[in-house]
Amino acid sequence: MNKKIFETLEYQKVKDKLKPYLTSDNGKQELANLEPMVNQDQIQRALTETLDGADAYRLKGGIPIARLANISPQMKRLEIGATLSGLELSQVTKMLRTTQDVLNFFKKLQEEKIEFRTLYTTVDKLQALPEISKRLMKSIEGDGHITNEASDKLFGIRNRISSTESEIRAKMDGYTRGKDAKYLSDSIITMRDGRYVIPVMAQYRSHFGGVVHDQSASGQTMYIEPQAVMELNNRLRQNQVEEKTEEERILTELSESLIPYREDLLNNAKILGHLDFINAKARYAAEIKATEPTISEQNQVHFRQARHPLVDPKKIVPNDIDLGEDYKALIITGPNTGGKTITLKTFGLLQLMAQSGLFIPVSENSQMGIFTEIFADIGDEQSIEQNLSTFSSHMDNIVKILDQIDERSLVLFDELGGGTDPKEGAALAIAILDRVGSSGSYVMATTHYPELKAYGYNRPETMNASMEFDTESLEPTYKLLVGIPGSSNAFDIATRLGIEPGVIMQARSLIDQDSQYLSAMIADLSARQKEAADRAAKLKVEVAEAESLHKDLANEYQKLRNSKDQYLEKAKLEANKLVEDTEEKTDVIIKRLRKMEMQGGAAIKENQLIDSKSELNALHQAPNLKKNRVLQRAKTKQALKPNDDVMVTSYGQRGSLLRQTDKKHWEVQMGIIKMKVPTDEIEKLAPEKEQPQKNHTTIRRSSSSVKPTLDLRGKRYEEAMTEVDRYVDSALLAGYPMVTIVHGKGTGALRKGITEYLQRNRQVKHFEYAAPNAGGNGATVVQFK
């Protein structure tokens, strides 16, 4: 696509709006290379990625991408066998750590069943490289410093250096604080040429012996290395040389270990940069309240409530802009300062953004087209003076445009034909529009010429439009009116400003009859359009109120039905309670009667007892199982089979299943009686068994006194480790599955101590550093078993 359109429509300013949201060099490079696309699949993928990014931003605050440098130069140096510096290795380390953070982030999203359309596929291409990552993170700090854990030899050398420095300082302190302090110009210990020295007054230079390494500008102070510490300084220097040699060896070893993974590292950096770019697109979309447009295969553009992304939304009037379905040419007429040019620029810029995979500030269900080229001839419509050179410049630009357009081009003309004689300019504008139409291109044009108002009526696939003007307030409303050509309103404005009526009448008489008729027609159309718009707005409010009222009525009706069901269920339960109490009393009576019978009383028939109890069970009200999902699930789990112990609900008797006579009936043995019973009157009972021994279970309850985060910043090492041990025990007792320990970065001693403690604790299932946006390696997240 031609580069001039980017400058004309201020496309670069939109790209600049995304820069603050980028954190990686690769993401910034992808933004720098961003241009509109013409392939539908590529555009759709880019829009879908933006939608995924918007979902991630809405649900989790975005993808955790740290500030990452471009590692391509480092990988090129590895290719030629160079050794990377500590800082360069730290940049690679940070990229690998971010890779792991991103993989963990999306793993948790998958566990939460959060769906994405493209992001999971993109993230699957990342390579974690755990062994290399672990080695680098153990050896290199964020500022490129090599840690003591990089090698045992380095650890020993640095211990010797520390010990030697302590000895030197102890001896030097004897000079600065003892009886020899009077020979010093200042009671301090400093360094010259990497060796510890003291500032001695010149007249006492021989008092301490040793070597003079420097003197003050006045010559009154000599910086002397005393004879007593020369051997210690020599030893320190030797250890420092060994340290430097070991550090270089470690850097070489680490660099060589990365060589086999150059392509994986470059690929990781590229993917992270792309994810960072998706993050930026999503955050910018949220900032300007943008939405995803659908792509029209017929190249029909429907922007609903379109807004210019670079204009304050409080100062812009959104407009519906259509092109391509009913008409391919839109001619916007009317006076200056009405908003014609900003409408033109809004349409073109939104199309560029959409073809770049960016969301655009329009209402939902908006639709975009795909243009292989977008051309524009847009000048300063506020310019008062236009001369031949301006006209020539416009014509030169238009000639180039006409040579390149085709049926997939979009052309934007501002004040077409301006800068020359009105009659000639209007004729030229009509001829240019005809030429664009014959090529099948899409066109939007603004103009002052009244001749083009009739053009919109006479040409096929062409539509007139104008920017609304309030003659009462003499102010433009900036609303686009499609189907109505613009009117200058000059006579109305002049009248309201106080021009004499005679002057106005004379001016009207100078306008030909056709022009007056056209102006009257436009005024009538504008009035009718405004009336229709007012009615539509009123109807919209009334429909909204009716829908709200209907919704409220539906809610209240549902509440009433729910209350009815609840009261009915409550009544049934109360009735059942009475029946159950009665059943218990009945069982007692029946047992008493049987006992009497066994003792020689009158014979009582079994079927008479069952019939009596059946009449009592008929009073039982069955709860509404349709509303009780728990009971429904329990009932579906009852799989009946022969020899099962069951309860026959219609008789209130226990029995045993003998056989299934058909799909809906079973033969049941109840005491000495065999009966055919419907399946829905049978409830399966658990087999009777010995009462199991009760186990005592300890239930963990979360305690409000234990917080899920422990902050150790500012505390001494011993105090902090004691508090960690106590806190972990309290968190386990409180039942927390996961806690966060904030230890800060500092020297790394506390972080190392906490890591070793967690490795020893058998109750710890897993621990890792927090996400970059939650503290990074300054905090550790601990999961318990």
Side-chain angles (χ1 to χ4, degrees):
M1 192 168 289
N2 69 94
K3 307 299 181 184
K4 186 176 180 181
I5 193 66
F6 300 156
E7 179 181 349
T8 303
L9 299 181
E10 300 178 297
Y11 178 71
Q12 183 59 43
K13 289 186 178 180
V14 172
K15 292 171 63 173
D16 291 341
K17 292 287 186 180
L18 274 76
K19 285 183 181 179
Y21 299 124
L22 292 166
T23 59
S24 68
D25 286 352
N26 284 77
K28 293 174 183 176
Q29 185 59 48
E30 187 164 346
L31 174 63
N33 297 335
L34 179 66
E35 287 189 358
M37 298 167 281
V38 296
N39 181 276
Q40 181 174 341
D41 292 338
Q42 292 177 345
I43 296 171
Q44 186 59 66
R45 179 173 179 80
L47 289 170
T48 304
E49 287 178 339
T50 307
L51 181 60
D52 279 351
D55 288 344
Y57 180 64
R58 175 174 51 84
L59 296 172
K60 298 294 182 180
I63 307 168
I65 305 293
R67 295 200 171 275
L68 301 176
N70 181 14
I71 65 168
S72 296
Q74 291 90 309
M75 296 301 103
K76 289 182 180 178
R77 294 189 61 215
L78 286 179
E79 189 176 5
I80 61 175
T83 297
L84 302 184
S85 67
L87 181 59
E88 290 174 320
L89 286 171
S90 73
Q91 292 169 346
V92 177
T93 304
K94 193 172 184 180
M95 188 272 295
L96 285 170
R97 184 183 293 115
T98 303
T99 299
Q100 189 60 56
D101 290 340
V102 170
L103 288 171
N104 293 339
F105 175 78
F106 279 96
K107 182 180 179 181
K108 291 178 181 178
L109 291 180
Q110 284 182 312
E111 292 172 354
E112 295 175 18
K113 308 297 183 184
I114 295 177
E115 297 293 334
F116 291 111
R117 302 147 195 85
T118 62
L119 288 185
Y120 287 133
T121 304
T122 301
V123 172
D124 285 344
K125 298 175 183 177
L126 288 171
Q127 300 294 323
L129 306 178
E131 294 300 325
I132 294 296
S133 300
K134 183 177 179 181
R135 177 76 171 100
L136 285 171
M137 284 187 267
K138 177 183 177 183
S139 305
I140 305 294
E141 293 185 344
D143 58 358
H145 178 259
I146 301 175
T147 66
N148 293 344
E149 292 79 14
S151 75
D152 293 338
K153 183 176 181 181
L154 182 62
F155 181 75
I157 293 172
R158 287 182 175 172
N159 278 342
R160 293 199 298 272
I161 289 175
S162 178
S163 176
T164 304
E165 286 179 333
S166 297
E167 289 184 52
I168 294 173
R169 285 188 173 277
K171 284 185 175 295
M172 299 292 256
D173 284 343
Y175 297 133
T176 58
R177 299 177 184 177
K179 62 182 180 179
D180 292 327
K182 60 185 177 182
Y183 303 115
L184 305 180
S185 59
D186 197 358
S187 297
I188 62 171
I189 303 171
T190 185
M191 296 192 76
R192 290 294 187 273
D193 301 327
R195 302 176 78 86
Y196 285 92
V197 296
I198 52 177
V200 181
M201 289 184 284
Q203 60 269 35
Y204 303 115
R205 59 183 297 176
S206 60
H207 178 78
F208 296 95
V211 178
V212 177
H213 286 275
D214 197 5
Q215 68 178 9
S216 65
S218 64
Q220 298 299 312
T221 300
M222 300 292 179
Y223 293 94
I224 296 176
E225 178 186 3
Q227 182 69 39
V229 298
M230 288 184 65
E231 180 59 32
L232 290 173
N233 268 332
N234 289 338
R235 189 199 308 167
L236 176 64
R237 190 65 176 166
Q238 181 180 358
N239 286 333
Q240 288 173 338
V241 171
E242 291 180 9
E243 178 189 31
K244 184 68 175 175
T245 302
E246 179 62 11
E247 286 179 344
E248 290 177 353
R249 186 195 69 78
I250 291 171
L251 293 176
T252 300
E253 181 181 299
L254 292 174
S255 299
E256 290 175 350
S257 69
L258 293 177
I259 293 176
Y261 304 100
R262 282 180 53 258
E263 294 301 325
D264 290 334
L265 293 171
L266 286 170
N267 183 60
N268 281 0
K270 183 178 179 181
I271 293 173
L272 291 176
H274 186 59
L275 294 174
D276 184 31
F277 179 58
I278 292 174
N279 255 353
K281 292 196 294 181
R283 295 183 65 182
Y284 179 60
E287 178 193 336
I288 63 174
K289 295 180 174 57
T291 62
E292 178 190 14
T294 59
I295 300 176
S296 168
E297 295 184 359
Q298 292 76 32
N299 229 31
Q300 297 172 359
V301 183
H302 302 289
F303 289 154
R304 298 286 173 256
Q305 297 297 289
R307 294 172 281 111
H308 197 287
L310 302 177
V311 179
D312 186 348
K314 297 179 181 178
K315 299 179 180 179
I316 196 74
V317 175
N319 279 303
D320 292 347
I321 310 176
D322 299 328
L323 193 68
E325 183 174 6
D326 297 325
Y327 48 88
K328 296 177 69 174
L330 186 65
I331 312 301
I332 308 175
T333 53
N336 282 332
T337 71
K340 299 192 305 296
T341 301
I342 193 67
T343 301
L344 205 67
K345 288 185 174 182
T346 299
F347 183 80
L349 182 56
L350 295 189
Q351 187 61 45
L352 289 178
M353 290 174 62
Q355 288 188 218
S356 301
L358 302 175
F359 281 11
I360 54 178
V362 295
S363 296
E364 293 184 356
N365 300 319
S366 290
Q367 188 171 277
M368 62 172 284
I370 298 178
F371 299 103
T372 55
E373 281 288 356
I374 300 178
F375 300 99
D377 181 64
I378 299 177
D380 182 9
E381 88 271 17
Q382 306 300 331
S383 175
I384 297 176
E385 296 181 358
Q386 288 186 331
N387 52 36
L388 182 61
S389 60
T390 302
F391 177 75
S392 299
S393 175
H394 282 298
M395 286 301 103
D396 182 61
N397 190 30
I398 290 172
V399 168
K400 294 177 181 177
I401 291 173
L402 296 179
D403 286 341
Q404 301 177 65
I405 58 176
D406 58 23
E407 69 279 358
R408 300 292 290 186
S409 299
L410 171 64
V411 186
L412 307 173
F413 290 126
D414 186 37
E415 298 301 340
L416 183 61
T420 186
D421 177 79
K423 291 290 184 182
E424 294 180 356
L428 187 59
I430 291 172
I432 292 172
L433 290 173
D434 282 342
R435 168 66 177 82
V436 173
S438 65
S439 66
S441 299
Y442 299 72
V443 61
M444 283 183 66
T446 69
T447 180
H448 279 112
Y449 297 135
E451 289 83 353
L452 269 71
K453 299 173 185 177
Y455 179 87
Y457 287 105
N458 299 329
R459 295 300 193 276
E461 295 188 319
T462 304
M463 180 63 69
N464 277 319
S466 62
M467 305 306 295
E468 185 182 55
F469 190 88
D470 190 339
T471 55
E472 295 296 324
S473 64
L474 303 182
E475 294 287 340
T477 65
Y478 305 106
K479 292 182 179 178
L480 180 66
L481 304 178
V482 178
I484 302 175
S487 176
S488 68
N489 300 302
F491 294 151
D492 293 333
I493 295 172
T495 300
R496 289 185 58 81
L497 292 177
I499 298 295
E500 296 177 6
V503 176
I504 300 299
M505 290 180 63
Q506 183 180 0
R508 289 186 186 278
S509 67
L510 297 175
I511 302 294
D512 60 49
Q513 189 66 32
D514 290 340
S515 296
Q516 292 187 39
Y517 175 76
L518 181 59
S519 297
M521 180 187 66
I522 292 172
D524 181 62
L525 284 172
S526 298
R528 289 175 182 271
Q529 196 275 343
K530 187 173 186 349
E531 181 182 357
D534 291 342
R535 286 182 179 178
K538 184 178 179 180
L539 286 173
K540 186 176 181 180
V541 172
E542 292 176 351
V543 168
E545 291 176 350
E547 289 178 346
S548 177
L549 180 59
H550 179 269
K551 184 177 180 181
D552 291 341
L553 290 173
N555 290 337
E556 292 300 323
Y557 177 69
Q558 188 60 43
K559 288 180 182 177
L560 181 62
R561 292 196 61 180
N562 292 341
S563 299
K564 176 185 173 184
D565 293 340
Q566 290 173 2
Y567 286 131
L568 184 59
E569 286 296 305
K570 185 177 179 181
K572 288 181 180 180
L573 292 174
E574 291 176 352
N576 290 340
K577 182 67 170 63
L578 292 174
V579 173
E580 288 170 1
D581 292 341
T582 307
E583 284 178 341
E584 291 178 3
K585 295 178 181 178
T586 305
D587 289 337
V588 172
I589 294 172
I590 292 174
K591 288 179 180 177
R592 190 182 304 151
L593 291 172
R594 284 177 173 165
K595 186 176 181 181
M596 293 171 59
E597 182 183 14
M598 293 176 65
Q599 292 176 351
I604 300 174
K605 296 182 179 180
E606 186 77 19
N607 63 325
Q608 291 176 335
L609 292 175
I610 292 176
D611 291 340
S612 299
K613 194 156 189 177
S614 297
E615 293 176 7
L616 187 62
N617 287 336
L619 299 174
H620 193 282
Q621 299 294 319
N624 193 349
L625 287 180
K626 193 175 285 188
K627 303 286 185 180
N628 193 325
R629 295 184 179 178
V630 176
L631 293 178
Q632 280 183 316
R633 285 197 296 267
K635 189 169 182 179
T636 57
K637 289 182 180 179
Q638 287 188 334
L640 301 176
K641 60 183 183 296
N643 298 321
D644 279 348
D645 292 331
V646 296
M647 171 64 73
V648 180
T649 58
S650 56
Y651 295 100
Q653 292 290 317
R654 293 176 64 97
S656 177
L657 294 180
L658 297 177
R659 63 188 182 88
Q660 187 173 8
T661 59
D662 54 51
K663 291 183 178 181
K664 295 184 179 181
H665 294 83
W666 281 81
E667 186 177 37
V668 183
Q669 179 80 45
M670 291 185 293
I672 60 173
I673 298 177
K674 294 181 182 179
M675 295 191 67
K676 184 178 180 181
V677 181
T679 304
D680 57 4
E681 295 180 6
I682 299 174
E683 289 184 0
K684 184 177 180 180
L685 298 177
E688 295 183 355
K689 56 184 179 181
E690 295 182 1
Q691 187 70 17
Q693 184 179 356
K694 293 184 178 180
N695 295 324
H696 296 285
T697 304
T698 301
I699 299 176
R700 292 180 177 174
R701 302 185 185 276
S702 61
S703 173
S704 60
S705 62
V706 181
K707 297 181 178 180
T709 301
L710 174 63
D711 193 345
L712 300 173
R713 288 175 293 183
K715 297 188 178 181
R716 298 177 63 83
Y717 180 87
E718 293 78 12
E719 177 189 3
M721 293 306 300
T722 301
E723 191 165 344
V724 167
D725 187 51
R726 191 177 303 135
Y727 174 77
V728 169
D729 289 342
S730 300
L732 286 167
L733 288 174
Y736 285 142
M738 181 171 62
V739 296
T740 301
I741 301 176
V742 181
H743 42 68
K745 299 180 181 178
T747 61
L750 179 57
R751 177 176 57 196
K752 179 183 176 185
I754 291 173
T755 299
E756 293 173 350
Y757 168 82
L758 295 174
Q759 288 173 342
R760 295 194 305 270
N761 195 316
R762 296 183 179 181
Q763 297 299 325
V764 174
K765 178 181 179 182
H766 174 70
F767 63 92
E768 61 183 6
Y769 290 138
N773 56 3
N777 61 358
T780 300
V781 178
V782 185
Q783 293 182 357
F784 298 122
K785 294 181 180 178

